[in-house]
Amino acid sequence: MRSILFTSCLFIFIGVSAQGKLADRIYFGGGFGFSAGADQTNLSLSPQVGYKITEKFSAGVGISYQYVKIKQPSISINNYGWSLFTRYNIVQQFFAYSEFERLSFEYVTGVDPVRKERTGYNSLLIGGGYAEQLGGRASFSLMALYNVLYDETDFPRPYNSPWVIRAGIGVGIF
Protein backbone atom coordinates (compact mmCIF):
# COMPACT_ATOMS: atom_id res chain seq x y z
CA MET A 1 0.00 0.00 0.00
CA ARG A 2 2.87 2.39 0.74
CA SER A 3 4.24 1.80 -2.77
CA ILE A 4 0.87 2.83 -4.28
CA LEU A 5 0.90 6.06 -2.26
CA PHE A 6 4.55 6.76 -3.13
CA THR A 7 4.01 6.09 -6.85
CA SER A 8 0.94 8.34 -6.95
CA CYS A 9 2.82 11.17 -5.25
CA LEU A 10 5.76 10.69 -7.62
CA PHE A 11 3.52 11.02 -10.70
CA ILE A 12 1.92 14.14 -9.25
CA PHE A 13 5.30 15.78 -8.62
CA ILE A 14 6.63 14.79 -12.05
CA GLY A 15 3.58 16.52 -13.48
CA VAL A 16 4.34 19.58 -11.34
CA SER A 17 7.77 20.07 -12.83
CA ALA A 18 6.40 19.68 -16.35
CA GLN A 19 3.37 21.94 -15.92
CA GLY A 20 4.66 25.16 -14.39
CA LYS A 21 3.92 26.95 -11.14
CA LEU A 22 3.19 24.60 -8.28
CA ALA A 23 1.08 27.13 -6.34
CA ASP A 24 -1.34 27.49 -9.27
CA ARG A 25 -1.93 23.75 -9.50
CA ILE A 26 -2.19 22.67 -5.86
CA TYR A 27 -5.45 22.93 -3.95
CA PHE A 28 -6.58 22.03 -0.45
CA GLY A 29 -9.89 20.75 0.77
CA GLY A 30 -11.64 18.19 2.85
CA GLY A 31 -14.35 18.00 5.40
CA PHE A 32 -15.14 18.34 9.06
CA GLY A 33 -18.06 16.72 10.81
CA PHE A 34 -19.56 16.96 14.27
CA SER A 35 -22.74 15.63 15.79
CA ALA A 36 -23.80 15.20 19.39
CA GLY A 37 -26.83 13.64 20.94
CA ALA A 38 -27.98 12.25 24.25
CA ASP A 39 -26.21 8.92 23.67
CA GLN A 40 -23.36 9.58 21.27
CA THR A 41 -20.86 12.17 20.03
CA ASN A 42 -19.16 11.95 16.60
CA LEU A 43 -16.25 14.01 15.30
CA SER A 44 -14.52 13.62 11.93
CA LEU A 45 -11.73 15.45 10.13
CA SER A 46 -10.57 14.66 6.59
CA PRO A 47 -8.08 17.09 5.01
CA GLN A 48 -7.03 16.60 1.37
CA VAL A 49 -4.44 18.04 -0.98
CA GLY A 50 -4.88 17.82 -4.74
CA TYR A 51 -2.90 18.64 -7.84
CA LYS A 52 -4.45 19.92 -11.09
CA ILE A 53 -2.90 17.75 -13.78
CA THR A 54 -4.97 19.62 -16.39
CA GLU A 55 -7.59 22.34 -15.98
CA LYS A 56 -10.30 19.66 -15.71
CA PHE A 57 -8.52 16.66 -14.18
CA SER A 58 -6.86 16.46 -10.77
CA ALA A 59 -5.63 13.84 -8.34
CA GLY A 60 -4.55 13.89 -4.73
CA VAL A 61 -4.23 12.34 -1.31
CA GLY A 62 -6.08 12.66 1.95
CA ILE A 63 -6.08 11.47 5.52
CA SER A 64 -9.05 10.93 7.79
CA TYR A 65 -9.77 10.67 11.48
CA GLN A 66 -13.07 9.76 13.15
CA TYR A 67 -13.83 9.81 16.86
CA VAL A 68 -16.97 8.26 18.33
CA LYS A 69 -17.90 8.50 22.02
CA ILE A 70 -20.80 6.38 23.23
CA LYS A 71 -22.06 7.45 26.66
CA GLN A 72 -23.66 4.23 27.97
CA PRO A 73 -21.73 2.00 28.21
CA SER A 74 -18.76 4.37 28.09
CA ILE A 75 -16.91 3.52 24.86
CA SER A 76 -14.51 5.63 22.77
CA ILE A 77 -13.66 4.57 19.23
CA ASN A 78 -10.87 5.99 17.04
CA ASN A 79 -10.74 5.35 13.29
CA TYR A 80 -8.09 6.67 10.93
CA GLY A 81 -6.92 6.16 7.37
CA TRP A 82 -5.69 7.52 4.07
CA SER A 83 -7.06 7.92 0.57
CA LEU A 84 -6.12 8.57 -3.05
CA PHE A 85 -8.62 10.44 -5.20
CA THR A 86 -9.27 11.73 -8.71
CA ARG A 87 -11.62 14.48 -9.81
CA TYR A 88 -12.78 15.45 -13.29
CA ASN A 89 -14.61 18.77 -13.72
CA ILE A 90 -17.39 18.14 -16.25
CA VAL A 91 -18.34 21.82 -16.17
CA GLN A 92 -17.16 24.37 -13.63
CA GLN A 93 -19.67 23.38 -10.94
CA PHE A 94 -20.29 19.65 -11.61
CA PHE A 95 -17.59 17.02 -11.28
CA ALA A 96 -17.02 13.26 -11.34
CA TYR A 97 -15.08 11.84 -8.41
CA SER A 98 -13.43 8.56 -7.40
CA GLU A 99 -11.53 7.64 -4.26
CA PHE A 100 -9.76 4.62 -2.82
CA GLU A 101 -9.89 4.71 0.98
CA ARG A 102 -8.05 2.51 3.45
CA LEU A 103 -9.54 2.82 6.93
CA SER A 104 -8.27 1.28 10.16
CA PHE A 105 -11.26 1.09 12.46
CA GLU A 106 -12.20 -0.18 15.89
CA TYR A 107 -15.30 -2.17 16.66
CA VAL A 108 -16.77 -3.37 19.94
CA THR A 109 -16.67 -7.11 20.65
CA GLY A 110 -18.00 -6.95 24.22
CA VAL A 111 -19.45 -4.44 26.66
CA ASP A 112 -18.92 -5.94 30.14
CA PRO A 113 -16.02 -5.34 30.29
CA VAL A 114 -15.64 -3.23 27.14
CA ARG A 115 -13.58 -5.06 24.53
CA LYS A 116 -12.56 -3.64 21.16
CA GLU A 117 -10.68 -4.95 18.15
CA ARG A 118 -9.15 -3.13 15.17
CA THR A 119 -9.22 -4.14 11.53
CA GLY A 120 -8.71 -2.61 8.10
CA TYR A 121 -11.36 -1.84 5.51
CA ASN A 122 -11.05 -0.83 1.84
CA SER A 123 -13.58 1.34 0.02
CA LEU A 124 -13.70 2.32 -3.64
CA LEU A 125 -16.01 5.32 -3.86
CA ILE A 126 -17.35 6.49 -7.22
CA GLY A 127 -19.79 9.31 -7.86
CA GLY A 128 -20.06 12.99 -8.44
CA GLY A 129 -20.58 16.33 -6.88
CA TYR A 130 -21.50 19.96 -7.10
CA ALA A 131 -19.20 22.84 -6.11
CA GLU A 132 -20.25 26.43 -5.48
CA GLN A 133 -17.65 29.16 -5.47
CA LEU A 134 -17.69 31.10 -2.19
CA GLY A 135 -15.39 33.91 -3.26
CA GLY A 136 -11.82 34.05 -4.46
CA ARG A 137 -10.52 30.52 -4.77
CA ALA A 138 -12.70 29.02 -2.00
CA SER A 139 -15.63 26.72 -2.70
CA PHE A 140 -18.23 24.57 -0.97
CA SER A 141 -18.87 21.10 -2.37
CA LEU A 142 -21.46 18.39 -1.92
CA MET A 143 -20.81 14.82 -3.14
CA ALA A 144 -22.82 11.60 -3.46
CA LEU A 145 -20.54 8.56 -3.68
CA TYR A 146 -21.18 4.83 -3.94
CA ASN A 147 -18.78 2.24 -2.46
CA VAL A 148 -18.48 -0.46 -5.13
CA LEU A 149 -16.58 -2.72 -2.67
CA TYR A 150 -19.37 -2.63 -0.07
CA ASP A 151 -20.69 -6.06 0.89
CA GLU A 152 -23.72 -6.35 3.18
CA THR A 153 -22.38 -9.68 4.53
CA ASP A 154 -19.00 -8.23 5.60
CA PHE A 155 -18.55 -7.99 9.33
CA PRO A 156 -17.22 -5.91 10.82
CA ARG A 157 -17.60 -2.91 8.53
CA PRO A 158 -17.32 0.80 9.36
CA TYR A 159 -20.27 1.92 7.20
CA ASN A 160 -23.91 0.85 7.34
CA SER A 161 -24.59 1.64 3.68
CA PRO A 162 -22.71 1.68 0.37
CA TRP A 163 -23.76 5.34 -0.06
CA VAL A 164 -21.53 8.11 1.29
CA ILE A 165 -22.70 11.73 1.28
CA ARG A 166 -20.05 14.38 1.90
CA ALA A 167 -19.88 18.13 2.20
CA GLY A 168 -16.70 20.14 2.42
CA ILE A 169 -14.71 23.28 1.74
CA GLY A 170 -11.95 23.62 -0.83
CA VAL A 171 -9.33 26.31 -1.43
CA GLY A 172 -7.65 26.66 -4.81
CA ILE A 173 -9.90 24.37 -6.85
CA PHE A 174 -11.53 27.25 -8.80
Side-chain angles (χ1 to χ4, degrees):
M1 291 297 174
R2 287 183 185 167
S3 63
I4 292 171
L5 184 60
F6 174 77
T7 303
S8 299
C9 290
L10 181 63
F11 281 122
I12 289 170
F13 287 112
I14 288 171
V16 168
S17 61
Q19 296 292 328
K21 284 187 167 179
L22 179 63
D24 293 338
R25 295 196 171 269
I26 288 193
Y27 62 92
F28 300 92
F32 170 80
F34 176 78
S35 67
D39 300 326
Q40 188 169 316
T41 301
N42 297 293
L43 174 69
S44 65
L45 183 62
S46 55
Q48 292 181 322
V49 61
Y51 175 72
K52 296 179 197 172
I53 298 166
T54 69
E55 279 304 310
K56 290 189 171 229
F57 181 72
S58 62
V61 298
I63 58 172
S64 61
Y65 174 74
Q66 302 165 353
Y67 172 78
V68 178
K69 173 70 174 169
I70 301 167
K71 294 182 178 141
Q72 286 298 327
S74 181
I75 300 171
S76 294
I77 295 173
N78 294 281
N79 302 328
Y80 48 84
W82 58 268
S83 63
L84 300 173
F85 70 90
T86 61
R87 175 178 166 148
Y88 181 79
N89 294 330
I90 300 164
V91 295
Q92 186 172 9
Q93 292 178 303
F94 292 96
F95 58 90
Y97 185 89
S98 66
E99 177 180 309
F100 175 81
E101 175 191 59
R102 176 67 177 174
L103 189 64
S104 174
F105 75 100
E106 289 181 305
Y107 60 99
V108 177
T109 59
V111 291
D112 192 18
V114 173
R115 291 183 308 280
K116 299 183 285 186
E117 291 188 31
R118 178 170 294 282
T119 191
Y121 189 82
N122 294 332
S123 295
L124 180 57
L125 305 164
I126 297 175
Y130 173 81
E132 182 67 40
Q133 192 167 6
L134 297 175
R137 295 178 52 174
S139 64
F140 170 80
S141 65
L142 183 62
M143 290 189 282
L145 307 171
Y146 186 82
N147 182 1
V148 298
L149 300 180
Y150 183 85
D151 183 348
E152 186 71 36
T153 63
D154 278 349
F155 184 81
R157 62 181 186 269
Y159 304 115
N160 293 326
S161 167
W163 287 100
V164 176
I165 307 298
R166 290 188 184 160
I169 300 291
V171 177
I173 192 68
F174 276 97

